[in-house]
mmCIF file of all heavy atoms in Angstrom:
data_model
loop_
_atom_site.group_PDB
_atom_site.id
_atom_site.type_symbol
_atom_site.label_atom_id
_atom_site.label_comp_id
_atom_site.label_asym_id
_atom_site.label_seq_id
_atom_site.Cartn_x
_atom_site.Cartn_y
_atom_site.Cartn_z
ATOM 1 N N LEU Y 892 46.759 14.968 -10.856
ATOM 2 C CA LEU Y 892 46.723 16.428 -10.981
ATOM 3 C C LEU Y 892 45.785 17.057 -9.954
ATOM 4 O O LEU Y 892 45.832 18.257 -9.722
ATOM 5 C CB LEU Y 892 46.249 16.827 -12.383
ATOM 6 C CG LEU Y 892 47.233 16.656 -13.540
ATOM 7 C CD1 LEU Y 892 46.534 16.959 -14.858
ATOM 8 C CD2 LEU Y 892 48.453 17.551 -13.369
ATOM 9 N N ILE Y 893 44.940 16.246 -9.336
ATOM 10 C CA ILE Y 893 43.944 16.745 -8.402
ATOM 11 C C ILE Y 893 44.513 16.737 -6.994
ATOM 12 O O ILE Y 893 44.828 15.683 -6.447
ATOM 13 C CB ILE Y 893 42.665 15.882 -8.434
ATOM 14 C CG1 ILE Y 893 42.218 15.636 -9.869
ATOM 15 C CG2 ILE Y 893 41.574 16.541 -7.603
ATOM 16 C CD1 ILE Y 893 41.999 16.880 -10.679
ATOM 17 N N PRO Y 894 44.681 17.912 -6.357
ATOM 18 C CA PRO Y 894 45.189 17.964 -4.989
ATOM 19 C C PRO Y 894 44.214 17.290 -4.020
ATOM 20 O O PRO Y 894 43.037 17.086 -4.346
ATOM 21 C CB PRO Y 894 45.307 19.465 -4.697
ATOM 22 C CG PRO Y 894 45.312 20.122 -6.034
ATOM 23 C CD PRO Y 894 44.460 19.258 -6.911
ATOM 24 N N ASP Y 898 42.580 21.324 -0.186
ATOM 25 C CA ASP Y 898 43.591 22.163 -0.822
ATOM 26 C C ASP Y 898 42.889 23.166 -1.736
ATOM 27 O O ASP Y 898 42.126 22.763 -2.618
ATOM 28 C CB ASP Y 898 44.563 21.296 -1.626
ATOM 29 C CG ASP Y 898 45.814 22.036 -2.054
ATOM 30 O OD1 ASP Y 898 45.687 23.209 -2.463
ATOM 31 O OD2 ASP Y 898 46.909 21.450 -1.977
ATOM 32 N N PRO Y 899 43.124 24.470 -1.556
ATOM 33 C CA PRO Y 899 42.397 25.457 -2.356
ATOM 34 C C PRO Y 899 42.854 25.548 -3.808
ATOM 35 O O PRO Y 899 42.163 26.153 -4.639
ATOM 36 C CB PRO Y 899 42.678 26.776 -1.618
ATOM 37 C CG PRO Y 899 44.001 26.553 -0.948
ATOM 38 C CD PRO Y 899 44.002 25.100 -0.555
ATOM 39 N N VAL Y 900 44.009 24.980 -4.128
ATOM 40 C CA VAL Y 900 44.539 25.057 -5.495
ATOM 41 C C VAL Y 900 43.809 24.047 -6.379
ATOM 42 O O VAL Y 900 43.562 22.913 -5.973
ATOM 43 C CB VAL Y 900 46.054 24.801 -5.493
ATOM 44 C CG1 VAL Y 900 46.601 24.807 -6.909
ATOM 45 C CG2 VAL Y 900 46.762 25.853 -4.649
ATOM 46 N N LEU Y 901 43.469 24.450 -7.596
ATOM 47 C CA LEU Y 901 42.693 23.582 -8.475
ATOM 48 C C LEU Y 901 43.487 22.372 -8.953
ATOM 49 O O LEU Y 901 42.961 21.250 -9.011
ATOM 50 C CB LEU Y 901 42.196 24.381 -9.686
ATOM 51 C CG LEU Y 901 41.155 25.468 -9.400
ATOM 52 C CD1 LEU Y 901 40.783 26.194 -10.690
ATOM 53 C CD2 LEU Y 901 39.914 24.869 -8.753
ATOM 54 N N PHE Y 902 44.754 22.589 -9.332
ATOM 55 C CA PHE Y 902 45.569 21.515 -9.868
ATOM 56 C C PHE Y 902 46.960 21.547 -9.237
ATOM 57 O O PHE Y 902 47.432 22.600 -8.785
ATOM 58 C CB PHE Y 902 45.713 21.644 -11.394
ATOM 59 C CG PHE Y 902 44.441 21.406 -12.150
ATOM 60 C CD1 PHE Y 902 43.697 22.470 -12.642
ATOM 61 C CD2 PHE Y 902 43.976 20.120 -12.376
ATOM 62 C CE1 PHE Y 902 42.519 22.265 -13.344
ATOM 63 C CE2 PHE Y 902 42.793 19.900 -13.082
ATOM 64 C CZ PHE Y 902 42.071 20.976 -13.556
ATOM 65 N N THR Y 903 47.609 20.398 -9.237
ATOM 66 C CA THR Y 903 48.995 20.321 -8.794
ATOM 67 C C THR Y 903 49.857 21.084 -9.787
ATOM 68 O O THR Y 903 49.869 20.778 -10.976
ATOM 69 C CB THR Y 903 49.451 18.849 -8.715
ATOM 70 O OG1 THR Y 903 48.665 18.175 -7.729
ATOM 71 C CG2 THR Y 903 50.918 18.758 -8.345
ATOM 72 N N THR Y 904 50.582 22.091 -9.298
ATOM 73 C CA THR Y 904 51.346 22.969 -10.183
ATOM 74 C C THR Y 904 52.846 22.730 -10.125
ATOM 75 O O THR Y 904 53.590 23.290 -10.932
ATOM 76 C CB THR Y 904 51.073 24.435 -9.831
ATOM 77 O OG1 THR Y 904 51.425 24.657 -8.454
ATOM 78 C CG2 THR Y 904 49.604 24.787 -10.033
ATOM 79 N N HIS Y 908 54.254 20.698 -4.475
ATOM 80 C CA HIS Y 908 52.910 21.003 -4.001
ATOM 81 C C HIS Y 908 52.362 19.928 -3.052
ATOM 82 O O HIS Y 908 51.895 20.248 -1.955
ATOM 83 C CB HIS Y 908 51.987 21.206 -5.201
ATOM 84 C CG HIS Y 908 50.630 21.714 -4.842
ATOM 85 N ND1 HIS Y 908 49.753 22.218 -5.760
ATOM 86 C CD2 HIS Y 908 49.979 21.781 -3.649
ATOM 87 C CE1 HIS Y 908 48.636 22.581 -5.169
ATOM 88 N NE2 HIS Y 908 48.753 22.316 -3.892
ATOM 89 N N THR Y 934 48.080 27.124 -15.634
ATOM 90 C CA THR Y 934 47.343 27.952 -16.591
ATOM 91 C C THR Y 934 47.783 29.413 -16.528
ATOM 92 O O THR Y 934 47.226 30.245 -17.230
ATOM 93 C CB THR Y 934 45.831 27.869 -16.312
ATOM 94 O OG1 THR Y 934 45.568 28.267 -14.959
ATOM 95 C CG2 THR Y 934 45.322 26.456 -16.526
ATOM 96 N N VAL Y 1142 38.288 14.671 -14.217
ATOM 97 C CA VAL Y 1142 37.594 15.957 -14.353
ATOM 98 C C VAL Y 1142 36.717 15.934 -15.608
ATOM 99 O O VAL Y 1142 37.084 15.355 -16.624
ATOM 100 C CB VAL Y 1142 38.614 17.113 -14.428
ATOM 101 C CG1 VAL Y 1142 37.913 18.447 -14.625
ATOM 102 C CG2 VAL Y 1142 39.479 17.137 -13.174
ATOM 103 N N THR Y 1147 32.517 25.859 -13.486
ATOM 104 C CA THR Y 1147 33.282 26.309 -12.320
ATOM 105 C C THR Y 1147 34.482 25.396 -12.086
ATOM 106 O O THR Y 1147 34.519 24.257 -12.552
ATOM 107 C CB THR Y 1147 32.418 26.303 -11.044
ATOM 108 O OG1 THR Y 1147 31.947 24.960 -10.813
ATOM 109 C CG2 THR Y 1147 31.239 27.244 -11.168
ATOM 110 N N GLY Y 1148 35.450 25.916 -11.319
ATOM 111 C CA GLY Y 1148 36.556 25.116 -10.805
ATOM 112 C C GLY Y 1148 37.354 24.398 -11.872
ATOM 113 O O GLY Y 1148 37.617 24.918 -12.966
ATOM 114 N N ARG Y 1149 37.734 23.168 -11.544
ATOM 115 C CA ARG Y 1149 38.576 22.381 -12.463
ATOM 116 C C ARG Y 1149 37.866 22.132 -13.786
ATOM 117 O O ARG Y 1149 38.491 22.116 -14.847
ATOM 118 C CB ARG Y 1149 38.948 21.050 -11.796
ATOM 119 C CG ARG Y 1149 39.770 21.218 -10.526
ATOM 120 C CD ARG Y 1149 40.187 19.877 -9.941
ATOM 121 N NE ARG Y 1149 40.903 20.114 -8.698
ATOM 122 C CZ ARG Y 1149 40.360 20.020 -7.482
ATOM 123 N NH1 ARG Y 1149 39.092 19.655 -7.368
ATOM 124 N NH2 ARG Y 1149 41.071 20.279 -6.407
ATOM 125 N N GLY Y 1150 36.553 21.911 -13.711
ATOM 126 C CA GLY Y 1150 35.809 21.670 -14.939
ATOM 127 C C GLY Y 1150 35.834 22.849 -15.885
ATOM 128 O O GLY Y 1150 35.830 22.684 -17.104
ATOM 129 N N VAL Y 1152 38.388 24.970 -16.118
ATOM 130 C CA VAL Y 1152 39.719 24.973 -16.726
ATOM 131 C C VAL Y 1152 39.740 24.030 -17.919
ATOM 132 O O VAL Y 1152 40.241 24.373 -19.004
ATOM 133 C CB VAL Y 1152 40.789 24.567 -15.694
ATOM 134 C CG1 VAL Y 1152 42.154 24.409 -16.375
ATOM 135 C CG2 VAL Y 1152 40.879 25.601 -14.575
#
Side-chain angles (χ1 to χ4, degrees):
L892 286 174
I893 312 304
D898 193 319
V900 177
L901 293 179
F902 292 102
T903 297
T904 58
H908 188 166
T934 57
V1142 178
T1147 60
R1149 298 183 183 99
V1152 173

